[in-house]
Amino acid sequence: MPARILLQLDNDSHPSSFDSVVAIDAGVDQLLRYGNVQTDSIIPLVHGAMFTRGGDDLRSTAIFIGGSNVKQAEALMKAAKNAFFGPVRVSMMLDANGCNTTAAAAVVAASRHLNLSKARAIVLGGTGPVGQRVAQLLAHDGASVTLTSRSLDRGEQACEEIRSKLQQDSRIVAVSSETLQSDSAVLQDQEIIIACGAAGVELLSEQSLVALPNLCVAIDLNAVPPAGLGGIGVTDKAKPIGAAVGYGAIGVGGLKMKTHRAAIASLYESNDRLLDAVEIYEIAKTIG
Amino acid sequence: MPARILLQLDNDSHPSSFDSVVAIDAGVDQLLRYGNVQTDSIIPLVHGAMFTRGGDDLRSTAIFIGGSNVKQAEALMKAAKNAFFGPVRVSMMLDANGCNTTAAAAVVAASRHLNLSKARAIVLGGTGPVGQRVAQLLAHDGASVTLTSRSLDRGEQACEEIRSKLQQDSRIVAVSSETLQSDSAVLQDQEIIIACGAAGVELLSEQSLVALPNLCVAIDLNAVPPAGLGGIGVTDKAKPIGAAVGYGAIGVGGLKMKTHRAAIASLYESNDRLLDAVEIYEIAKTIG
Amino acid sequence: MPARILLQLDNDSHPSSFDSVVAIDAGVDQLLRYGNVQTDSIIPLVHGAMFTRGGDDLRSTAIFIGGSNVKQAEALMKAAKNAFFGPVRVSMMLDANGCNTTAAAAVVAASRHLNLSKARAIVLGGTGPVGQRVAQLLAHDGASVTLTSRSLDRGEQACEEIRSKLQQDSRIVAVSSETLQSDSAVLQDQEIIIACGAAGVELLSEQSLVALPNLCVAIDLNAVPPAGLGGIGVTDKAKPIGAAVGYGAIGVGGLKMKTHRAAIASLYESNDRLLDAVEIYEIAKTIG
């Protein structure tokens, strides 16, 4: 088998060292790393991956799309897909800012404690790249999802985007975090709570959290104190909090890393993998 | 033997992924890739290649000069050569924009069908980097070469440049493509026709092509439809067209790729190879 | 053991090919090379090195800080150290512009010919990065050091910086090179003379050099003629000059290269090495 090559295409000027190390540990032999990748400069890079190896060897070349700007990474993924010619293509994975592996690991962690297909879940600060993906994956597995945002408009727009990726009977609604009181029926109802807000803002106090009567799992994906969910430590991993269990960002980090490595390795199983949120989530399930 | 290192020096901001994959498949262990290489920034890069390994180990380091701008790549090659100190040097190859491997593969393909040393050949759109090299290699092997250009001045200038690289008795002349009619004696005479013009322009119709009485081989190096030579498909490989055979860009692509890999591998046989058009052509001959 | 990864962080736009080749020859499996690294862009690169491998595997990732600007490299080293979290850190080496390996090799070369702890040494042009390190290492081993500079102010400032890195009883003073006559008592006294001045300036004539009554070793670290010390050739290696022996830049180059490779290799022995002048000098001693 020829050397496993990964084109690491990053929208930051310095391609992520994190993504490079994980790729190496996932078995990549040769990394071709690019920073400052734009939609108008990606085509020749993709063509170079497509037209250099033939037949079965083509699956030994793959593309990883990263960088801190998730929207731009999505545009890169789309532009790269458009550069493919029918079966002349290479496998590709998007994990800009770790959005897909983080979301997948969080939802798999939640699924250890209850059946998602019947669960009620709320995603706090759900309009960012991780929040949207967490909401998508929960709804994908049948949960009834509420997504919160400071702006109801932005929340509803996020729901609309998420619905376009889901089956018609998926259940996802937005509420304004401004109007969400700790004693509101919406919050009281929830079994899963996942906080994806910006760093440095407590979205729910420990007192409010432990008082939620139906709460089963609470996950805070914020890695920098103060916690988004009061009472959850960054290294917590299925740690009891009230009658529920809690996870912090590092608490789901082990699963996230294993998912990232497994996803990279799976790129080389064929030349036509496209790994975005749902595909990476399915990989995380086999690990979690 | 120490690791085989290739400095890939590219004048584009993103070093070519195509050239990187080919280098890896040619046995390079470690690629040191540089974009935006200019003549004034190349010296320390070359010195780093020259002064880090001694004796026989020096031949395990080599330099590849690429990028979409062939003229700039030639200036880089010259600047790099000037940085060498006598025997303290490393092997070096130029294949900016694939110009040398493409030209070499095309001329070797032609040579399968007739003896170049007695042949009459015309290079349509011959003033570009590939066209000039095709004309040079044909004349190098003794063919009588006509080079066409929309501007006779540019065509004669190209001939002058080519002659400076050839032996004195080489036969190469320029004609204006404007004045070249399909029934002209010049065209009627040709046994080989190779089209190297810009993409998207038909230089000769299929009707005119098949009517040429002496034509033996027709090669169109344009990869994007419409074909530069009417009736030639991009994947044609020694496919009959009239009484001749035709090749398209992909039809010579397999030989081009093998030549590229073999040329890279040969860099490591000594520390003083300089691979430009003729040297790469000699390698292509051993493959074709 | 996982692949040995080296983050090569360079303040020039093109990361040094010299440093890359040496790293590969020192056993690095995968180089992650970055140019244009600034103090404000280094943190995510360091975090990516820290947070991707756990436990004993962490020592298979390390950082090299290079580039032609030594002051900037020192600022990068400091910023990288500040990014570490307690034991979550990786080994790191600074050798911007070869300053540490060059200085270490020169001082070890001198130590072959006399006992440094009792020696009197003068460093000509001692305010630059290499000169300061040479002076520091000589004083570190107990020599009585005089550092010259065209400006006494700059010389005294350099001494102050060096003293801050040394034990209190170290002996190091500055003199102005303007006032330093070849028959001055200061110069007559010296057993070791090491020239670290800018290229193209002769700091001491051969005549003056061979007349020094106590001189034991003369080392000229200038690689470009004319020599900084008259009569010393760039490849001289313990070559007699008067009653002393002389070394040129290439004459200490072999030891410098071995030191560089050994220092890189030692980074992987634990995850908490910090290799700057003294640590690299200690490594050079085990080789020299």
Side-chain angles (χ1 to χ4, degrees):
Chain A
M1 212 173 75
R4 286 184 175 190
I5 294 174
L6 188 70
L7 274 74
Q8 181 184 345
L9 308 184
D10 200 299
N11 49 57
D12 296 324
S13 61
H14 286 152
S16 160
S17 61
F18 186 101
D19 291 337
S20 298
V21 175
V22 174
I24 292 163
D25 287 343
V28 169
D29 297 308
Q30 297 270 4
L31 271 172
L32 304 179
R33 310 160 74 236
Y34 292 93
N36 282 328
V37 179
Q38 314 278 345
T39 47
D40 60 357
S41 61
I42 201 173
I43 307 299
L45 302 180
V46 175
H47 283 174
M50 290 160 59
F51 294 132
T52 35
R53 292 171 156 187
D56 202 43
D57 288 352
L58 190 51
R59 70 185 170 98
S60 293
T61 305
I63 293 175
F64 177 90
I65 295 181
S68 55
N69 186 327
V70 177
K71 282 281 167 212
Q72 210 178 321
E74 290 172 331
L76 289 176
M77 177 95 148
K78 195 176 164 192
K81 268 194 261 190
N82 288 340
F84 292 156
F85 290 165
V88 183
R89 56 176 59 224
V90 297
S91 288
M92 189 153 57
M93 166 178 178
L94 183 147
D95 198 33
N97 221 9
C99 62
N100 281 325
T101 49
T102 301
V107 177
V108 167
S111 75
R112 290 171 183 155
H113 303 283
L114 77 176
N115 185 341
L116 295 183
S117 71
K118 296 170 181 172
R120 293 179 305 279
I122 191 163
V123 182
L124 303 184
T127 58
V130 173
Q132 283 202 26
R133 282 163 166 82
V134 165
Q136 178 191 349
L137 299 177
L138 287 165
H140 172 80
D141 266 8
S144 181
V145 179
T146 302
L147 178 156
T148 82
S149 169
R150 272 170 302 173
S151 147
L152 185 59
D153 272 5
R154 276 215 314 281
E156 288 182 336
Q157 200 186 320
C159 284
E160 207 47 60
E161 285 185 36
I162 296 166
R163 275 189 210 105
S164 71
K165 301 175 181 174
L166 291 168
Q167 293 193 292
Q168 282 215 327
D169 60 350
S170 303
R171 290 166 297 174
I172 177 161
V173 295
V175 302
S176 160
S177 52
E178 304 286 323
T179 63
L180 190 76
Q181 303 301 320
S182 60
D183 59 354
S184 68
V186 169
L187 204 52
Q188 296 287 317
D189 231 24
Q190 303 303 328
E191 295 163 307
I192 299 170
I193 185 162
I194 303 185
C196 308
V201 181
E202 185 181 86
L203 299 168
L204 201 68
S205 70
E206 180 171 6
Q207 196 184 350
S208 303
L209 190 74
V210 297
L212 296 177
N214 295 298
L215 193 66
C216 181
V217 193
I219 300 176
D220 182 5
L221 294 176
N222 173 29
V224 184
L229 299 178
I232 306 253
V234 72
T235 59
D236 287 359
K237 191 173 171 182
K239 185 178 171 191
I241 179 162
V245 295
Y247 288 84
I250 296 177
V252 299
L255 177 54
K256 173 193 148 55
M257 289 293 285
K258 284 180 194 159
T259 300
H260 192 157
R261 283 191 210 107
I264 294 280
S266 80
L267 293 170
Y268 300 97
E269 290 166 7
S270 74
N271 74 318
D272 58 1
R273 297 282 161 98
L274 279 177
L275 306 187
D276 206 334
V278 171
E279 296 81 8
I280 291 171
Y281 176 50
E282 295 301 332
I283 290 169
K285 280 182 185 175
T286 67
I287 292 163
Chain B
M1 211 173 76
R4 285 183 176 191
I5 294 174
L6 188 69
L7 274 73
Q8 181 184 344
L9 309 184
D10 200 298
N11 50 57
D12 296 324
S13 61
H14 287 151
S16 160
S17 61
F18 186 101
D19 291 337
S20 298
V21 174
V22 174
I24 291 164
D25 287 344
V28 168
D29 297 308
Q30 297 270 5
L31 272 172
L32 304 180
R33 309 160 76 235
Y34 292 93
N36 283 326
V37 179
Q38 313 278 344
T39 48
D40 61 357
S41 60
I42 201 174
I43 307 300
L45 302 181
V46 175
H47 282 174
M50 291 160 59
F51 295 132
T52 35
R53 292 171 156 186
D56 202 43
D57 288 352
L58 191 52
R59 68 187 171 97
S60 293
T61 304
I63 293 174
F64 177 91
I65 295 180
S68 55
N69 187 327
V70 178
K71 283 280 168 214
Q72 211 178 322
E74 289 172 332
L76 289 177
M77 176 95 146
K78 195 176 163 191
K81 268 195 264 190
N82 289 340
F84 292 156
F85 290 166
V88 183
R89 55 177 60 225
V90 297
S91 289
M92 188 153 57
M93 166 178 179
L94 183 146
D95 198 32
N97 221 9
C99 63
N100 281 326
T101 49
T102 300
V107 177
V108 167
S111 75
R112 291 171 184 155
H113 304 282
L114 77 176
N115 184 341
L116 294 184
S117 71
K118 297 168 181 174
R120 294 180 305 280
I122 191 163
V123 182
L124 304 183
T127 58
V130 173
Q132 283 203 26
R133 281 165 167 80
V134 165
Q136 178 191 347
L137 299 177
L138 287 164
H140 172 79
D141 267 8
S144 180
V145 179
T146 302
L147 177 155
T148 82
S149 169
R150 273 170 303 173
S151 147
L152 185 59
D153 272 5
R154 275 216 312 280
E156 288 183 335
Q157 200 188 319
C159 284
E160 208 47 61
E161 285 183 37
I162 296 166
R163 274 189 211 105
S164 71
K165 301 176 181 174
L166 291 167
Q167 293 194 290
Q168 283 217 327
D169 60 349
S170 304
R171 290 165 298 172
I172 177 160
V173 295
V175 302
S176 160
S177 53
E178 304 286 323
T179 64
L180 189 76
Q181 302 301 317
S182 59
D183 59 354
S184 69
V186 169
L187 204 51
Q188 298 287 315
D189 231 25
Q190 303 303 327
E191 296 164 307
I192 299 169
I193 185 164
I194 303 185
C196 307
V201 181
E202 185 180 88
L203 299 168
L204 201 68
S205 70
E206 179 170 9
Q207 198 183 349
S208 303
L209 190 74
V210 298
L212 296 177
N214 296 298
L215 192 66
C216 183
V217 193
I219 300 176
D220 182 4
L221 294 176
N222 172 28
V224 183
L229 299 177
I232 305 255
V234 72
T235 59
D236 287 0
K237 190 172 172 183
K239 186 179 171 190
I241 179 163
V245 294
Y247 287 84
I250 295 177
V252 298
L255 178 54
K256 173 193 147 54
M257 288 294 286
K258 283 179 195 160
T259 300
H260 191 157
R261 281 191 212 107
I264 295 279
S266 81
L267 293 171
Y268 299 97
E269 290 166 7
S270 73
N271 75 317
D272 58 1
R273 297 282 160 98
L274 279 177
L275 306 187
D276 205 336
V278 172
E279 297 81 8
I280 291 171
Y281 176 51
E282 295 302 332
I283 291 170
K285 281 181 183 175
T286 67
I287 292 163
Chain C
M1 210 172 77
R4 286 185 175 189
I5 294 174
L6 188 70
L7 274 73
Q8 182 184 343
L9 309 184
D10 199 300
N11 49 56
D12 296 324
S13 61
H14 287 152
S16 159
S17 61
F18 186 101
D19 291 336
S20 298
V21 175
V22 174
I24 291 164
D25 287 344
V28 169
D29 297 307
Q30 296 270 4
L31 272 172
L32 305 180
R33 308 160 75 235
Y34 293 92
N36 283 327
V37 179
Q38 314 278 344
T39 48
D40 61 356
S41 61
I42 201 175
I43 307 298
L45 302 180
V46 175
H47 282 174
M50 290 160 59
F51 295 132
T52 35
R53 292 171 155 186
D56 202 43
D57 288 353
L58 190 52
R59 70 187 170 97
S60 293
T61 305
I63 293 174
F64 177 90
I65 295 180
S68 56
N69 186 327
V70 177
K71 282 280 168 213
Q72 210 177 322
E74 290 172 331
L76 288 177
M77 176 94 146
K78 194 176 163 193
K81 268 194 262 189
N82 288 340
F84 291 157
F85 290 165
V88 183
R89 54 177 59 225
V90 297
S91 288
M92 188 152 58
M93 166 178 178
L94 183 146
D95 199 33
N97 223 7
C99 62
N100 281 326
T101 49
T102 301
V107 177
V108 167
S111 75
R112 291 171 183 154
H113 304 282
L114 76 175
N115 184 340
L116 295 184
S117 70
K118 297 169 181 173
R120 293 180 304 279
I122 191 164
V123 182
L124 303 183
T127 57
V130 173
Q132 283 203 26
R133 281 163 168 81
V134 165
Q136 178 192 347
L137 299 177
L138 287 165
H140 172 80
D141 267 7
S144 179
V145 180
T146 302
L147 178 156
T148 82
S149 170
R150 272 169 302 173
S151 147
L152 185 58
D153 270 5
R154 275 216 313 281
E156 287 183 337
Q157 199 185 322
C159 285
E160 207 46 59
E161 285 183 38
I162 296 166
R163 273 188 213 107
S164 70
K165 300 176 182 174
L166 290 168
Q167 292 193 292
Q168 282 216 328
D169 60 348
S170 303
R171 290 166 296 174
I172 177 159
V173 294
V175 303
S176 161
S177 53
E178 303 286 322
T179 63
L180 190 75
Q181 304 301 318
S182 60
D183 58 355
S184 68
V186 169
L187 204 51
Q188 296 288 315
D189 230 25
Q190 303 302 329
E191 296 163 305
I192 299 169
I193 185 162
I194 303 184
C196 308
V201 180
E202 185 181 89
L203 299 169
L204 201 68
S205 70
E206 180 170 6
Q207 196 183 350
S208 303
L209 190 74
V210 297
L212 296 178
N214 295 298
L215 193 64
C216 182
V217 193
I219 300 175
D220 183 4
L221 295 176
N222 173 28
V224 183
L229 299 178
I232 306 254
V234 73
T235 60
D236 287 0
K237 190 174 171 182
K239 186 178 169 189
I241 179 163
V245 294
Y247 287 84
I250 295 177
V252 298
L255 177 55
K256 173 193 148 54
M257 288 294 284
K258 283 180 195 159
T259 301
H260 191 156
R261 283 192 208 105
I264 294 280
S266 80
L267 292 171
Y268 299 98
E269 290 166 8
S270 73
N271 75 319
D272 57 1
R273 297 282 161 99
L274 279 177
L275 306 187
D276 205 336
V278 171
E279 296 80 9
I280 292 171
Y281 176 51
E282 294 302 330
I283 290 170
K285 280 182 183 174
T286 66
I287 293 162

